[in-house]
PDB file of all heavy atoms in Angstrom:
ATOM      1  N   TYR A   1       2.234  51.467 194.664  1.00 86.00           N
ATOM      2  CA  TYR A   1       2.795  50.804 195.851  1.00 86.00           C
ATOM      3  C   TYR A   1       2.404  49.290 195.781  1.00 86.00           C
ATOM      4  O   TYR A   1       3.151  48.401 196.147  1.00 86.00           O
ATOM      5  CB  TYR A   1       2.304  51.420 197.121  1.00 86.00           C
ATOM      6  CG  TYR A   1       2.834  52.856 197.318  1.00 86.00           C
ATOM      7  CD1 TYR A   1       2.002  53.887 197.251  1.00 86.00           C
ATOM      8  CD2 TYR A   1       4.142  53.062 197.569  1.00 86.00           C
ATOM      9  CE1 TYR A   1       2.431  55.231 197.410  1.00 86.00           C
ATOM     10  CE2 TYR A   1       4.701  54.388 197.605  1.00 86.00           C
ATOM     11  CZ  TYR A   1       3.780  55.424 197.572  1.00 86.00           C
ATOM     12  OH  TYR A   1       4.270  56.718 197.734  1.00 86.00           O
ATOM     13  N   GLN A   2       1.184  49.051 195.350  1.00 88.00           N
ATOM     14  CA  GLN A   2       0.706  47.604 195.175  1.00 88.00           C
ATOM     15  C   GLN A   2       1.561  46.945 194.088  1.00 88.00           C
ATOM     16  O   GLN A   2       1.931  45.740 194.299  1.00 88.00           O
ATOM     17  CB  GLN A   2      -0.802  47.639 194.720  1.00 88.00           C
ATOM     18  CG  GLN A   2      -1.796  47.964 195.886  1.00 88.00           C
ATOM     19  CD  GLN A   2      -3.221  47.841 195.426  1.00 88.00           C
ATOM     20  OE1 GLN A   2      -3.500  48.121 194.273  1.00 88.00           O
ATOM     21  NE2 GLN A   2      -3.983  47.353 196.327  1.00 88.00           N
ATOM     22  N   LEU A   3       1.906  47.657 193.073  1.00 87.00           N
ATOM     23  CA  LEU A   3       2.720  47.092 192.001  1.00 87.00           C
ATOM     24  C   LEU A   3       4.111  46.700 192.459  1.00 87.00           C
ATOM     25  O   LEU A   3       4.603  45.644 192.263  1.00 87.00           O
ATOM     26  CB  LEU A   3       2.850  48.086 190.824  1.00 87.00           C
ATOM     27  CG  LEU A   3       3.741  47.748 189.650  1.00 87.00           C
ATOM     28  CD1 LEU A   3       3.285  46.387 189.005  1.00 87.00           C
ATOM     29  CD2 LEU A   3       3.788  48.819 188.612  1.00 87.00           C
ATOM     30  N   LYS A   4       4.663  47.593 193.298  1.00 88.00           N
ATOM     31  CA  LYS A   4       6.044  47.338 193.813  1.00 88.00           C
ATOM     32  C   LYS A   4       5.931  46.135 194.791  1.00 88.00           C
ATOM     33  O   LYS A   4       6.927  45.318 194.855  1.00 88.00           O
ATOM     34  CB  LYS A   4       6.527  48.582 194.550  1.00 88.00           C
ATOM     35  CG  LYS A   4       7.033  49.698 193.597  1.00 88.00           C
ATOM     36  CD  LYS A   4       7.441  50.943 194.344  1.00 88.00           C
ATOM     37  CE  LYS A   4       7.774  52.011 193.344  1.00 88.00           C
ATOM     38  NZ  LYS A   4       8.032  53.286 193.998  1.00 88.00           N
ATOM     39  N   GLY A   5       4.900  46.073 195.571  1.00 90.00           N
ATOM     40  CA  GLY A   5       4.712  44.992 196.522  1.00 90.00           C
ATOM     41  C   GLY A   5       4.600  43.639 195.721  1.00 90.00           C
ATOM     42  O   GLY A   5       5.181  42.637 196.107  1.00 90.00           O
ATOM     43  N   ALA A   6       3.828  43.638 194.634  1.00 92.00           N
ATOM     44  CA  ALA A   6       3.552  42.445 193.816  1.00 92.00           C
ATOM     45  C   ALA A   6       4.940  42.004 193.135  1.00 92.00           C
ATOM     46  O   ALA A   6       5.218  40.817 193.044  1.00 92.00           O
ATOM     47  CB  ALA A   6       2.529  42.694 192.802  1.00 92.00           C
ATOM     48  N   ALA A   7       5.732  42.981 192.658  1.00 90.00           N
ATOM     49  CA  ALA A   7       6.936  42.650 192.108  1.00 90.00           C
ATOM     50  C   ALA A   7       7.953  42.073 193.133  1.00 90.00           C
ATOM     51  O   ALA A   7       8.706  41.149 192.755  1.00 90.00           O
ATOM     52  CB  ALA A   7       7.609  43.906 191.487  1.00 90.00           C
ATOM     53  N   LYS A   8       7.833  42.572 194.309  1.00 91.00           N
ATOM     54  CA  LYS A   8       8.767  41.999 195.409  1.00 91.00           C
ATOM     55  C   LYS A   8       8.409  40.538 195.700  1.00 91.00           C
ATOM     56  O   LYS A   8       9.263  39.671 195.871  1.00 91.00           O
ATOM     57  CB  LYS A   8       8.620  42.842 196.731  1.00 91.00           C
ATOM     58  CG  LYS A   8       9.636  42.534 197.748  1.00 91.00           C
ATOM     59  CD  LYS A   8       9.441  43.435 198.973  1.00 91.00           C
ATOM     60  CE  LYS A   8      10.285  43.025 200.088  1.00 91.00           C
ATOM     61  NZ  LYS A   8      10.053  43.778 201.324  1.00 91.00           N
ATOM     62  N   VAL A   9       7.084  40.196 195.823  1.00 92.00           N
ATOM     63  CA  VAL A   9       6.651  38.867 196.043  1.00 92.00           C
ATOM     64  C   VAL A   9       7.027  37.934 194.869  1.00 92.00           C
ATOM     65  O   VAL A   9       7.474  36.864 195.145  1.00 92.00           O
ATOM     66  CB  VAL A   9       5.092  38.795 196.185  1.00 92.00           C
ATOM     67  CG1 VAL A   9       4.580  37.408 196.273  1.00 92.00           C
ATOM     68  CG2 VAL A   9       4.684  39.541 197.491  1.00 92.00           C
ATOM     69  N   MET A  10       7.000  38.491 193.649  1.00 92.00           N
ATOM     70  CA  MET A  10       7.355  37.752 192.512  1.00 92.00           C
ATOM     71  C   MET A  10       8.815  37.339 192.559  1.00 92.00           C
ATOM     72  O   MET A  10       9.121  36.122 192.364  1.00 92.00           O
ATOM     73  CB  MET A  10       7.145  38.663 191.224  1.00 92.00           C
ATOM     74  CG  MET A  10       7.556  38.020 189.899  1.00 92.00           C
ATOM     75  SD  MET A  10       6.434  36.664 189.431  1.00 92.00           S
ATOM     76  CE  MET A  10       7.382  35.975 188.121  1.00 92.00           C
ATOM     77  N   VAL A  11       9.699  38.308 192.836  1.00 91.00           N
ATOM     78  CA  VAL A  11      11.156  37.986 192.861  1.00 91.00           C
ATOM     79  C   VAL A  11      11.414  37.062 194.091  1.00 91.00           C
ATOM     80  O   VAL A  11      12.252  36.081 193.994  1.00 91.00           O
ATOM     81  CB  VAL A  11      11.925  39.315 193.114  1.00 91.00           C
ATOM     82  CG1 VAL A  11      13.446  38.976 193.300  1.00 91.00           C
ATOM     83  CG2 VAL A  11      11.875  40.135 191.811  1.00 91.00           C
ATOM     84  N   THR A  12      10.770  37.247 195.214  1.00 93.00           N
ATOM     85  CA  THR A  12      10.865  36.329 196.444  1.00 93.00           C
ATOM     86  C   THR A  12      10.536  34.891 195.992  1.00 93.00           C
ATOM     87  O   THR A  12      11.260  33.897 196.349  1.00 93.00           O
ATOM     88  CB  THR A  12      10.009  36.736 197.487  1.00 93.00           C
ATOM     89  OG1 THR A  12      10.294  38.106 197.958  1.00 93.00           O
ATOM     90  CG2 THR A  12      10.079  35.829 198.730  1.00 93.00           C
ATOM     91  N   ASN A  13       9.506  34.689 195.290  1.00 94.00           N
ATOM     92  CA  ASN A  13       9.091  33.386 194.849  1.00 94.00           C
ATOM     93  C   ASN A  13       9.947  32.726 193.807  1.00 94.00           C
ATOM     94  O   ASN A  13      10.219  31.528 193.857  1.00 94.00           O
ATOM     95  CB  ASN A  13       7.614  33.385 194.340  1.00 94.00           C
ATOM     96  CG  ASN A  13       6.591  33.495 195.531  1.00 94.00           C
ATOM     97  OD1 ASN A  13       6.957  33.405 196.692  1.00 94.00           O
ATOM     98  ND2 ASN A  13       5.388  33.756 195.186  1.00 94.00           N
ATOM     99  N   VAL A  14      10.490  33.580 192.922  1.00 94.00           N
ATOM    100  CA  VAL A  14      11.507  33.037 191.961  1.00 94.00           C
ATOM    101  C   VAL A  14      12.749  32.550 192.680  1.00 94.00           C
ATOM    102  O   VAL A  14      13.248  31.446 192.412  1.00 94.00           O
ATOM    103  CB  VAL A  14      11.828  34.037 190.860  1.00 94.00           C
ATOM    104  CG1 VAL A  14      12.942  33.492 189.945  1.00 94.00           C
ATOM    105  CG2 VAL A  14      10.599  34.322 189.996  1.00 94.00           C
ATOM    106  N   THR A  15      13.170  33.418 193.552  1.00 93.00           N
ATOM    107  CA  THR A  15      14.348  33.028 194.422  1.00 93.00           C
ATOM    108  C   THR A  15      14.161  31.823 195.224  1.00 93.00           C
ATOM    109  O   THR A  15      14.986  30.898 195.334  1.00 93.00           O
ATOM    110  CB  THR A  15      14.662  34.178 195.399  1.00 93.00           C
ATOM    111  OG1 THR A  15      14.780  35.371 194.708  1.00 93.00           O
ATOM    112  CG2 THR A  15      15.972  33.952 196.220  1.00 93.00           C
ATOM    113  N   SER A  16      12.925  31.659 195.812  1.00 92.00           N
ATOM    114  CA  SER A  16      12.536  30.388 196.557  1.00 92.00           C
ATOM    115  C   SER A  16      12.593  29.226 195.706  1.00 92.00           C
ATOM    116  O   SER A  16      13.037  28.161 196.111  1.00 92.00           O
ATOM    117  CB  SER A  16      11.076  30.654 197.129  1.00 92.00           C
ATOM    118  OG  SER A  16      10.776  29.568 197.928  1.00 92.00           O
ATOM    119  N   LEU A  17      12.109  29.361 194.437  1.00 93.00           N
ATOM    120  CA  LEU A  17      12.066  28.269 193.480  1.00 93.00           C
ATOM    121  C   LEU A  17      13.541  27.771 193.276  1.00 93.00           C
ATOM    122  O   LEU A  17      13.806  26.600 193.266  1.00 93.00           O
ATOM    123  CB  LEU A  17      11.426  28.735 192.186  1.00 93.00           C
ATOM    124  CG  LEU A  17      11.628  27.750 190.988  1.00 93.00           C
ATOM    125  CD1 LEU A  17      11.035  26.400 191.210  1.00 93.00           C
ATOM    126  CD2 LEU A  17      11.103  28.324 189.708  1.00 93.00           C
ATOM    127  N   LEU A  18      14.450  28.744 192.960  1.00 92.00           N
ATOM    128  CA  LEU A  18      15.846  28.358 192.696  1.00 92.00           C
ATOM    129  C   LEU A  18      16.532  27.699 193.963  1.00 92.00           C
ATOM    130  O   LEU A  18      17.282  26.789 193.705  1.00 92.00           O
ATOM    131  CB  LEU A  18      16.611  29.661 192.309  1.00 92.00           C
ATOM    132  CG  LEU A  18      16.114  30.290 190.949  1.00 92.00           C
ATOM    133  CD1 LEU A  18      16.932  31.533 190.709  1.00 92.00           C
ATOM    134  CD2 LEU A  18      16.292  29.316 189.756  1.00 92.00           C
ATOM    135  N   LYS A  19      16.243  28.226 195.150  1.00 92.00           N
ATOM    136  CA  LYS A  19      16.755  27.589 196.294  1.00 92.00           C
ATOM    137  C   LYS A  19      16.230  26.114 196.410  1.00 92.00           C
ATOM    138  O   LYS A  19      16.991  25.224 196.760  1.00 92.00           O
ATOM    139  CB  LYS A  19      16.377  28.408 197.596  1.00 92.00           C
ATOM    140  CG  LYS A  19      17.102  29.668 197.786  1.00 92.00           C
ATOM    141  CD  LYS A  19      16.693  30.323 199.043  1.00 92.00           C
ATOM    142  CE  LYS A  19      17.372  31.687 199.301  1.00 92.00           C
ATOM    143  NZ  LYS A  19      16.805  32.361 200.440  1.00 92.00           N
ATOM    144  N   THR A  20      14.917  25.964 196.129  1.00 91.00           N
ATOM    145  CA  THR A  20      14.395  24.677 196.183  1.00 91.00           C
ATOM    146  C   THR A  20      15.057  23.640 195.187  1.00 91.00           C
ATOM    147  O   THR A  20      15.356  22.513 195.524  1.00 91.00           O
ATOM    148  CB  THR A  20      12.881  24.682 195.939  1.00 91.00           C
ATOM    149  OG1 THR A  20      12.267  25.525 196.954  1.00 91.00           O
ATOM    150  CG2 THR A  20      12.197  23.341 196.047  1.00 91.00           C
ATOM    151  N   VAL A  21      15.230  24.167 193.995  1.00 90.00           N
ATOM    152  CA  VAL A  21      15.837  23.351 192.925  1.00 90.00           C
ATOM    153  C   VAL A  21      17.267  22.960 193.344  1.00 90.00           C
ATOM    154  O   VAL A  21      17.704  21.759 193.191  1.00 90.00           O
ATOM    155  CB  VAL A  21      15.893  24.095 191.594  1.00 90.00           C
ATOM    156  CG1 VAL A  21      16.839  23.383 190.618  1.00 90.00           C
ATOM    157  CG2 VAL A  21      14.500  24.311 191.000  1.00 90.00           C
ATOM    158  N   LYS A  22      17.996  23.861 193.947  1.00 88.00           N
ATOM    159  CA  LYS A  22      19.326  23.571 194.425  1.00 88.00           C
ATOM    160  C   LYS A  22      19.335  22.538 195.589  1.00 88.00           C
ATOM    161  O   LYS A  22      20.109  21.599 195.620  1.00 88.00           O
ATOM    162  CB  LYS A  22      19.989  24.868 194.970  1.00 88.00           C
ATOM    163  CG  LYS A  22      21.485  24.752 195.209  1.00 88.00           C
ATOM    164  CD  LYS A  22      22.105  26.028 195.679  1.00 88.00           C
ATOM    165  CE  LYS A  22      23.515  25.879 196.003  1.00 88.00           C
ATOM    166  NZ  LYS A  22      24.129  27.078 196.613  1.00 88.00           N
ATOM    167  N   ALA A  23      18.350  22.745 196.478  1.00 87.00           N
ATOM    168  CA  ALA A  23      18.255  21.786 197.649  1.00 87.00           C
ATOM    169  C   ALA A  23      17.940  20.389 197.215  1.00 87.00           C
ATOM    170  O   ALA A  23      18.266  19.425 197.880  1.00 87.00           O
ATOM    171  CB  ALA A  23      17.261  22.346 198.666  1.00 87.00           C
ATOM    172  N   VAL A  24      17.101  20.255 196.129  1.00 83.00           N
ATOM    173  CA  VAL A  24      16.657  18.928 195.733  1.00 83.00           C
ATOM    174  C   VAL A  24      17.838  18.021 195.411  1.00 83.00           C
ATOM    175  O   VAL A  24      17.869  16.834 195.596  1.00 83.00           O
ATOM    176  CB  VAL A  24      15.737  19.107 194.444  1.00 83.00           C
ATOM    177  CG1 VAL A  24      15.621  17.774 193.652  1.00 83.00           C
ATOM    178  CG2 VAL A  24      14.367  19.506 194.960  1.00 83.00           C
ATOM    179  N   GLU A  25      18.964  18.592 194.969  1.00 79.00           N
ATOM    180  CA  GLU A  25      20.143  17.827 194.617  1.00 79.00           C
ATOM    181  C   GLU A  25      20.957  17.424 195.818  1.00 79.00           C
ATOM    182  O   GLU A  25      21.757  16.535 195.748  1.00 79.00           O
ATOM    183  CB  GLU A  25      21.061  18.696 193.739  1.00 79.00           C
ATOM    184  CG  GLU A  25      20.445  18.977 192.333  1.00 79.00           C
ATOM    185  CD  GLU A  25      21.336  19.898 191.508  1.00 79.00           C
ATOM    186  OE1 GLU A  25      22.309  20.400 192.091  1.00 79.00           O
ATOM    187  OE2 GLU A  25      21.056  19.958 190.302  1.00 79.00           O
ATOM    188  N   ASP A  26      20.608  17.989 197.032  1.00 81.00           N
ATOM    189  CA  ASP A  26      21.298  17.623 198.192  1.00 81.00           C
ATOM    190  C   ASP A  26      20.299  17.061 199.304  1.00 81.00           C
ATOM    191  O   ASP A  26      19.526  17.821 199.924  1.00 81.00           O
ATOM    192  CB  ASP A  26      21.963  18.890 198.839  1.00 81.00           C
ATOM    193  CG  ASP A  26      22.725  18.589 200.049  1.00 81.00           C
ATOM    194  OD1 ASP A  26      22.835  17.455 200.500  1.00 81.00           O
ATOM    195  OD2 ASP A  26      23.104  19.539 200.797  1.00 81.00           O
ATOM    196  N   GLU A  27      20.258  15.760 199.368  1.00 78.00           N
ATOM    197  CA  GLU A  27      19.229  15.094 200.166  1.00 78.00           C
ATOM    198  C   GLU A  27      19.226  15.625 201.623  1.00 78.00           C
ATOM    199  O   GLU A  27      18.230  15.677 202.337  1.00 78.00           O
ATOM    200  CB  GLU A  27      19.433  13.593 200.187  1.00 78.00           C
ATOM    201  CG  GLU A  27      18.962  12.940 198.868  1.00 78.00           C
ATOM    202  CD  GLU A  27      18.907  11.385 198.981  1.00 78.00           C
ATOM    203  OE1 GLU A  27      18.639  10.906 200.090  1.00 78.00           O
ATOM    204  OE2 GLU A  27      19.139  10.797 197.949  1.00 78.00           O
ATOM    205  N   ALA A  28      20.384  16.033 202.088  1.00 81.00           N
ATOM    206  CA  ALA A  28      20.520  16.522 203.528  1.00 81.00           C
ATOM    207  C   ALA A  28      19.799  17.854 203.761  1.00 81.00           C
ATOM    208  O   ALA A  28      19.457  18.172 204.910  1.00 81.00           O
ATOM    209  CB  ALA A  28      22.017  16.673 203.920  1.00 81.00           C
ATOM    210  N   THR A  29      19.507  18.568 202.730  1.00 87.00           N
ATOM    211  CA  THR A  29      18.857  19.931 202.945  1.00 87.00           C
ATOM    212  C   THR A  29      17.430  19.991 202.378  1.00 87.00           C
ATOM    213  O   THR A  29      16.803  21.009 202.467  1.00 87.00           O
ATOM    214  CB  THR A  29      19.694  21.080 202.266  1.00 87.00           C
ATOM    215  OG1 THR A  29      19.770  20.799 200.849  1.00 87.00           O
ATOM    216  CG2 THR A  29      21.139  21.155 202.818  1.00 87.00           C
ATOM    217  N   ARG A  30      16.965  18.853 201.800  1.00 89.00           N
ATOM    218  CA  ARG A  30      15.670  18.853 201.199  1.00 89.00           C
ATOM    219  C   ARG A  30      14.529  19.229 202.132  1.00 89.00           C
ATOM    220  O   ARG A  30      13.676  20.085 201.778  1.00 89.00           O
ATOM    221  CB  ARG A  30      15.334  17.556 200.594  1.00 89.00           C
ATOM    222  CG  ARG A  30      16.019  17.266 199.240  1.00 89.00           C
ATOM    223  CD  ARG A  30      15.576  15.896 198.698  1.00 89.00           C
ATOM    224  NE  ARG A  30      16.354  15.543 197.448  1.00 89.00           N
ATOM    225  CZ  ARG A  30      16.137  14.395 196.880  1.00 89.00           C
ATOM    226  NH1 ARG A  30      15.270  13.516 197.258  1.00 89.00           N
ATOM    227  NH2 ARG A  30      16.874  14.074 195.816  1.00 89.00           N
ATOM    228  N   GLY A  31      14.523  18.692 203.302  1.00 91.00           N
ATOM    229  CA  GLY A  31      13.521  18.895 204.283  1.00 91.00           C
ATOM    230  C   GLY A  31      13.494  20.313 204.809  1.00 91.00           C
ATOM    231  O   GLY A  31      12.459  20.939 204.875  1.00 91.00           O
ATOM    232  N   THR A  32      14.772  20.811 205.115  1.00 92.00           N
ATOM    233  CA  THR A  32      14.893  22.206 205.566  1.00 92.00           C
ATOM    234  C   THR A  32      14.384  23.111 204.573  1.00 92.00           C
ATOM    235  O   THR A  32      13.550  24.100 204.931  1.00 92.00           O
ATOM    236  CB  THR A  32      16.394  22.459 205.879  1.00 92.00           C
ATOM    237  OG1 THR A  32      16.874  21.430 206.757  1.00 92.00           O
ATOM    238  CG2 THR A  32      16.571  23.864 206.560  1.00 92.00           C
ATOM    239  N   ARG A  33      14.762  22.994 203.329  1.00 93.00           N
ATOM    240  CA  ARG A  33      14.265  23.886 202.322  1.00 93.00           C
ATOM    241  C   ARG A  33      12.769  23.793 202.028  1.00 93.00           C
ATOM    242  O   ARG A  33      12.124  24.839 201.873  1.00 93.00           O
ATOM    243  CB  ARG A  33      15.079  23.522 200.945  1.00 93.00           C
ATOM    244  CG  ARG A  33      14.728  24.425 199.784  1.00 93.00           C
ATOM    245  CD  ARG A  33      15.116  25.856 200.015  1.00 93.00           C
ATOM    246  NE  ARG A  33      14.139  26.760 199.299  1.00 93.00           N
ATOM    247  CZ  ARG A  33      13.605  27.831 199.928  1.00 93.00           C
ATOM    248  NH1 ARG A  33      13.894  28.127 201.187  1.00 93.00           N
ATOM    249  NH2 ARG A  33      12.776  28.576 199.230  1.00 93.00           N
ATOM    250  N   ALA A  34      12.233  22.659 202.140  1.00 94.00           N
ATOM    251  CA  ALA A  34      10.776  22.431 201.948  1.00 94.00           C
ATOM    252  C   ALA A  34      10.090  23.302 203.013  1.00 94.00           C
ATOM    253  O   ALA A  34       8.983  23.895 202.782  1.00 94.00           O
ATOM    254  CB  ALA A  34      10.395  21.012 201.931  1.00 94.00           C
ATOM    255  N   LEU A  35      10.588  23.098 204.257  1.00 95.00           N
ATOM    256  CA  LEU A  35       9.893  23.860 205.393  1.00 95.00           C
ATOM    257  C   LEU A  35      10.098  25.298 205.264  1.00 95.00           C
ATOM    258  O   LEU A  35       9.085  26.048 205.490  1.00 95.00           O
ATOM    259  CB  LEU A  35      10.639  23.338 206.660  1.00 95.00           C
ATOM    260  CG  LEU A  35       9.816  23.261 207.886  1.00 95.00           C
ATOM    261  CD1 LEU A  35       8.466  22.532 207.728  1.00 95.00           C
ATOM    262  CD2 LEU A  35      10.571  22.513 209.099  1.00 95.00           C
ATOM    263  N   GLU A  36      11.262  25.796 204.832  1.00 95.00           N
ATOM    264  CA  GLU A  36      11.455  27.244 204.684  1.00 95.00           C
ATOM    265  C   GLU A  36      10.468  27.815 203.560  1.00 95.00           C
ATOM    266  O   GLU A  36       9.897  28.853 203.767  1.00 95.00           O
ATOM    267  CB  GLU A  36      12.928  27.585 204.221  1.00 95.00           C
ATOM    268  CG  GLU A  36      13.886  27.366 205.260  1.00 95.00           C
ATOM    269  CD  GLU A  36      15.363  27.468 204.803  1.00 95.00           C
ATOM    270  OE1 GLU A  36      15.527  27.436 203.554  1.00 95.00           O
ATOM    271  OE2 GLU A  36      16.259  27.613 205.635  1.00 95.00           O
ATOM    272  N   ALA A  37      10.333  27.035 202.497  1.00 95.00           N
ATOM    273  CA  ALA A  37       9.347  27.478 201.380  1.00 95.00           C
ATOM    274  C   ALA A  37       7.919  27.501 201.960  1.00 95.00           C
ATOM    275  O   ALA A  37       7.226  28.472 201.538  1.00 95.00           O
ATOM    276  CB  ALA A  37       9.535  26.541 200.214  1.00 95.00           C
ATOM    277  N   THR A  38       7.556  26.478 202.707  1.00 96.00           N
ATOM    278  CA  THR A  38       6.232  26.474 203.211  1.00 96.00           C
ATOM    279  C   THR A  38       5.963  27.619 204.201  1.00 96.00           C
ATOM    280  O   THR A  38       4.914  28.332 204.180  1.00 96.00           O
ATOM    281  CB  THR A  38       5.911  25.154 204.001  1.00 96.00           C
ATOM    282  OG1 THR A  38       5.887  24.082 203.006  1.00 96.00           O
ATOM    283  CG2 THR A  38       4.648  25.194 204.738  1.00 96.00           C
ATOM    284  N   ILE A  39       6.973  27.976 205.011  1.00 97.00           N
ATOM    285  CA  ILE A  39       6.771  29.125 205.974  1.00 97.00           C
ATOM    286  C   ILE A  39       6.652  30.408 205.190  1.00 97.00           C
ATOM    287  O   ILE A  39       5.725  31.198 205.506  1.00 97.00           O
ATOM    288  CB  ILE A  39       7.993  29.260 206.906  1.00 97.00           C
ATOM    289  CG1 ILE A  39       7.974  28.004 207.923  1.00 97.00           C
ATOM    290  CG2 ILE A  39       8.142  30.587 207.626  1.00 97.00           C
ATOM    291  CD1 ILE A  39       9.263  27.808 208.750  1.00 97.00           C
ATOM    292  N   GLU A  40       7.354  30.608 204.152  1.00 95.00           N
ATOM    293  CA  GLU A  40       7.261  31.790 203.280  1.00 95.00           C
ATOM    294  C   GLU A  40       5.872  31.834 202.627  1.00 95.00           C
ATOM    295  O   GLU A  40       5.249  32.908 202.545  1.00 95.00           O
ATOM    296  CB  GLU A  40       8.348  31.761 202.178  1.00 95.00           C
ATOM    297  CG  GLU A  40       8.322  32.962 201.218  1.00 95.00           C
ATOM    298  CD  GLU A  40       8.433  34.303 201.947  1.00 95.00           C
ATOM    299  OE1 GLU A  40       9.185  34.515 202.802  1.00 95.00           O
ATOM    300  OE2 GLU A  40       7.659  35.203 201.418  1.00 95.00           O
ATOM    301  N   TYR A  41       5.479  30.681 202.107  1.00 96.00           N
ATOM    302  CA  TYR A  41       4.167  30.578 201.440  1.00 96.00           C
ATOM    303  C   TYR A  41       2.990  30.949 202.420  1.00 96.00           C
ATOM    304  O   TYR A  41       2.039  31.775 202.133  1.00 96.00           O
ATOM    305  CB  TYR A  41       3.940  29.230 200.871  1.00 96.00           C
ATOM    306  CG  TYR A  41       2.510  28.962 200.424  1.00 96.00           C
ATOM    307  CD1 TYR A  41       2.076  29.328 199.194  1.00 96.00           C
ATOM    308  CD2 TYR A  41       1.578  28.207 201.249  1.00 96.00           C
ATOM    309  CE1 TYR A  41       0.812  29.098 198.663  1.00 96.00           C
ATOM    310  CE2 TYR A  41       0.327  27.978 200.762  1.00 96.00           C
ATOM    311  CZ  TYR A  41      -0.050  28.463 199.539  1.00 96.00           C
ATOM    312  OH  TYR A  41      -1.390  28.230 199.040  1.00 96.00           O
ATOM    313  N   ILE A  42       3.087  30.469 203.634  1.00 97.00           N
ATOM    314  CA  ILE A  42       1.998  30.722 204.669  1.00 97.00           C
ATOM    315  C   ILE A  42       2.029  32.180 205.003  1.00 97.00           C
ATOM    316  O   ILE A  42       0.873  32.808 205.182  1.00 97.00           O
ATOM    317  CB  ILE A  42       2.181  29.737 205.870  1.00 97.00           C
ATOM    318  CG1 ILE A  42       1.853  28.352 205.556  1.00 97.00           C
ATOM    319  CG2 ILE A  42       1.252  30.273 206.991  1.00 97.00           C
ATOM    320  CD1 ILE A  42       2.204  27.327 206.670  1.00 97.00           C
ATOM    321  N   LYS A  43       3.193  32.769 205.142  1.00 97.00           N
ATOM    322  CA  LYS A  43       3.209  34.212 205.436  1.00 97.00           C
ATOM    323  C   LYS A  43       2.547  35.016 204.334  1.00 97.00           C
ATOM    324  O   LYS A  43       1.846  36.043 204.585  1.00 97.00           O
ATOM    325  CB  LYS A  43       4.740  34.650 205.572  1.00 97.00           C
ATOM    326  CG  LYS A  43       5.285  34.234 206.874  1.00 97.00           C
ATOM    327  CD  LYS A  43       6.766  34.666 207.021  1.00 97.00           C
ATOM    328  CE  LYS A  43       7.353  34.223 208.270  1.00 97.00           C
ATOM    329  NZ  LYS A  43       8.876  34.501 208.318  1.00 97.00           N
ATOM    330  N   GLN A  44       2.797  34.664 203.078  1.00 95.00           N
ATOM    331  CA  GLN A  44       2.137  35.323 201.910  1.00 95.00           C
ATOM    332  C   GLN A  44       0.618  35.124 201.894  1.00 95.00           C
ATOM    333  O   GLN A  44      -0.136  36.046 201.633  1.00 95.00           O
ATOM    334  CB  GLN A  44       2.715  34.831 200.546  1.00 95.00           C
ATOM    335  CG  GLN A  44       4.111  35.272 200.385  1.00 95.00           C
ATOM    336  CD  GLN A  44       4.723  34.793 199.024  1.00 95.00           C
ATOM    337  OE1 GLN A  44       4.021  34.323 198.185  1.00 95.00           O
ATOM    338  NE2 GLN A  44       6.081  34.918 198.897  1.00 95.00           N
TER     339      GLN A  44
END
């Protein structure tokens, strides 16, 4: 169960990275994405 949980966090963080990379190209969403990523990080 710990393994499945760790795998889920891994995929969540890879997805978060890809969303961040995409947002970097759009200045209007950079701040929103940075905040979303920080909220996810703090929850973890």
Side-chain angles (χ1 to χ4, degrees):
Y1 295 111
Q2 284 184 324
L3 174 59
K4 283 174 185 170
K8 189 178 174 186
V9 171
M10 177 71 190
V11 173
T12 298
N13 284 350
V14 172
T15 305
S16 184
L17 167 65
L18 294 177
K19 284 182 183 174
T20 299
V21 170
K22 189 179 177 185
V24 160
E25 295 177 350
D26 179 9
E27 285 190 33
T29 62
R30 283 183 186 180
T32 306
R33 180 63 213 132
L35 213 48
E36 286 172 346
T38 289
I39 289 168
E40 178 58 39
Y41 171 81
I42 291 173
K43 284 178 180 174
Q44 289 180 13

